Amino acid sequence: MDYDLGSPEFYLGDPAPAYRALRHRSPVHWNNANGGSWAITRYEDIKWIGARPHLFSSAQGVNMQDPNRPSGGVSKMLITTDPPRHGALRRLVSKGFTPRQITLLEPGIRDIVRGALDRVEAGVSLEFAEGIVAPVPTRIIAEMIGAPHQDWEDFRTWSDAVIGAADPDIAMTTQEAFGAVSHYFQHLIELRESSRTNDLVSILLDAEVDGEKLADDEIVNFLRLLLLAGNETTRNLIALGTLALINHPDQRQKLVDDPALIPSAVEEMLRWITPVTHMTRIATEDVPFRDKLIKKGQTVVLLYGAANRDEDVFGADAEEFIVTRNPNPHLAFGTGEHACLGLSLARLEARVFFEELLSRFSGMELDGEVVRMRSNMVPGVKRMHVRLSPAVQEAAL
């Protein structure tokens, strides 16, 4: 039983059967592919590793390399920083993600979502993933950062090039995208150094912990992480969440009948989809683990999608999509001190999107094949044609 977990093809299909086999038969499983790594598939095991960064380091990178493309260097971002530096950096940048800051974003997010849905013509097949969903998180992040409107499309181009670098439809290389986005953010920092606004760049420039401020390169790296993580993952959460509602009309009807269930549905989408397939860690010493020995320097792959279907945690119906699932302690945002900093923002964007979508269009059907991006970390949606029909109360008017 061996799987090439570093290959995007593994995630283009349905990995659930492989996840289930690994959980039941070999929950700590050595894969020989791409230099070798330990695949961790059970919920409690991933929680245990995530809580011990002194044993499992993020500093050498957090994603598996695609064996069909060359590896690059590891950027020093918040996500690739170990304690104690990680805690100090997280406290600094978290000032832009307080509950108050996120709450203030809701009116603007709702306006962006409404503008996107205003372009939908009922009953007509449309490209939903790129045409309707993709611009929403891009514009939200661009506004948070303080980027001018005319630059928003560049954000999408750079983000796609980094996440989908293995995809043959993407011309820009990862290195070119990183260079372009780094240059852009450095220019934005220079503008804000002389003229503060209320955007995230200004907040990061002014943030201090024990008298310490972020260096420019640290701000650039955080903004790059925000662009990549916040754009790609939220976009695919919404697109694939819509697909889940199309494929489960009984669950969709529950949300139409009772919109108060939408926050619960978003949590189930996060569990069911798990937009980020994995994170990796490197063992800092020999660690006995279950009946195996993880040796110092070996790679550990935390398969969040497998953990989110763990029957020991989610019950006998763990493989089912149930919008009323409660409790729902999924690991879609990771775990431990590296849990996603932008989780409140992602939840807000998805909730607002589905509130607006289902208030207008209760009927949904897929029109053609869903085409996924070739990526082993965020296998996003490139094309998904959907036909939407009005909500019942609108159709009756």
Side-chain angles (χ1 to χ4, degrees):
M1 184 171 58
D2 204 10
Y3 303 99
D4 188 356
L5 299 175
S7 172
E9 280 70 25
F10 177 80
Y11 304 95
L12 289 177
D14 179 11
Y19 287 161
R20 185 165 55 250
L22 288 169
R23 279 197 313 272
H24 293 172
R25 296 163 54 191
S26 185
V28 181
H29 183 77
W30 179 255
N31 276 280
N32 289 310
N34 200 26
S37 61
W38 291 101
I40 312 297
T41 52
R42 287 189 180 169
Y43 183 99
E44 293 300 333
D45 290 348
I46 290 178
K47 291 271 287 186
W48 192 91
I49 290 172
R52 290 163 175 80
H54 61 291
L55 295 178
F56 300 95
S57 171
S58 302
Q60 296 182 48
V62 295
N63 65 295
M64 295 180 288
Q65 288 295 326
D66 178 352
N68 297 316
R69 53 184 282 237
S71 62
V74 177
S75 299
K76 295 306 295 180
M77 299 181 179
L78 180 66
I79 201 171
T80 56
T81 305
D82 288 332
R85 182 62 177 165
H86 177 270
L89 287 173
R90 191 177 180 97
R91 287 192 296 274
L92 282 169
V93 300
S94 66
K95 293 180 182 293
F97 290 86
T98 63
R100 179 179 179 275
Q101 287 292 130
I102 298 302
T103 300
L104 291 173
L105 296 174
E106 180 165 348
I109 291 174
R110 199 169 292 277
D111 285 344
I112 289 172
V113 171
R114 286 173 175 169
L117 293 176
D118 284 345
R119 299 195 299 271
V120 175
E121 185 176 350
V124 176
S125 178
L126 68 144
E127 206 302 299
F128 190 78
E130 281 295 314
I132 303 300
V133 178
V136 172
T138 303
R139 291 175 182 177
I140 291 167
I141 292 170
E143 287 199 351
M144 286 182 67
I145 292 171
H149 291 192
Q150 63 267 23
D151 298 338
W152 290 356
E153 287 304 311
D154 287 336
F155 279 30
R156 288 175 61 188
T157 300
W158 298 331
S159 179
D160 285 351
V162 174
I163 295 298
D167 195 287
D169 289 343
I170 296 176
M172 180 178 280
T173 67
T174 298
Q175 290 76 15
E176 289 170 341
F178 267 131
V181 74
S182 297
H183 178 78
Y184 181 90
F185 286 145
Q186 183 60 51
H187 176 66
L188 201 57
I189 288 169
E190 291 168 0
L191 291 177
R192 293 296 179 265
E193 283 175 340
S194 59
S195 179
R196 297 286 201 272
T197 66
N198 62 350
D199 60 35
L200 185 58
V201 175
S202 298
I203 291 172
L204 294 176
L205 283 169
D206 290 334
E208 291 188 8
V209 172
D210 300 326
E212 179 186 12
K213 288 191 173 183
L214 287 173
D216 282 3
D217 63 332
E218 290 174 315
I219 296 176
V220 167
N221 285 337
F222 175 74
L223 295 174
R224 288 196 316 194
L225 177 61
L226 174 63
L227 172 62
L228 301 177
N231 182 37
E232 297 292 336
T233 57
T234 305
R235 174 170 77 181
N236 293 307
L237 166 62
I238 293 173
L240 292 173
T242 302
L243 181 61
L245 295 181
I246 291 172
N247 290 334
H248 299 84
D250 60 325
Q251 299 300 302
R252 181 175 78 241
Q253 190 60 46
K254 290 181 180 181
L255 305 184
V256 174
D257 294 340
D258 184 4
L261 292 175
I262 289 176
S264 170
V266 169
E267 297 306 308
E268 181 68 343
M269 291 171 186
L270 284 160
R271 184 192 75 88
W272 177 260
I273 295 162
T274 312
V276 176
T277 63
H278 74 278
M279 291 285 175
T280 63
R281 302 287 186 266
I282 302 296
T284 61
E285 59 184 74
D286 289 357
V287 182
F289 200 76
R290 289 192 180 267
D291 59 344
K292 303 294 194 302
L293 177 66
I294 299 175
K295 295 182 179 180
K296 180 179 179 179
Q298 288 183 329
T299 298
V300 174
V301 181
L302 308 179
L303 289 167
Y304 297 132
N308 282 340
R309 304 288 180 96
D310 192 332
E311 301 88 343
D312 290 344
V313 176
F314 298 99
D317 60 3
E319 298 283 358
E320 299 178 27
F321 178 73
I322 302 172
V323 297
T324 54
R325 187 180 298 277
N326 184 37
N328 193 346
H330 62 77
L331 300 182
F333 292 117
T335 184
E337 66 174 48
H338 278 288
C340 178
L341 186 64
L343 57 88
S344 295
L345 176 61
R347 284 176 165 133
L348 175 61
E349 291 180 52
R351 173 177 64 79
V352 169
F353 188 93
F354 286 109
E355 285 174 351
E356 294 295 331
L357 177 68
L358 293 171
S359 70
R360 301 183 187 206
F361 307 105
S362 60
M364 306 174 185
E365 60 179 326
L366 199 60
D367 185 23
E369 181 183 2
V370 177
V371 180
R372 302 290 294 268
M373 182 180 292
R374 192 178 182 278
S375 170
N376 64 11
M377 194 171 202
V378 187
V381 180
K382 288 200 298 186
R383 290 183 294 278
M384 187 175 94
H385 281 81
V386 171
R387 185 177 288 105
L388 302 174
S389 57
V392 173
Q393 60 267 32
E394 291 182 6
L397 294 179

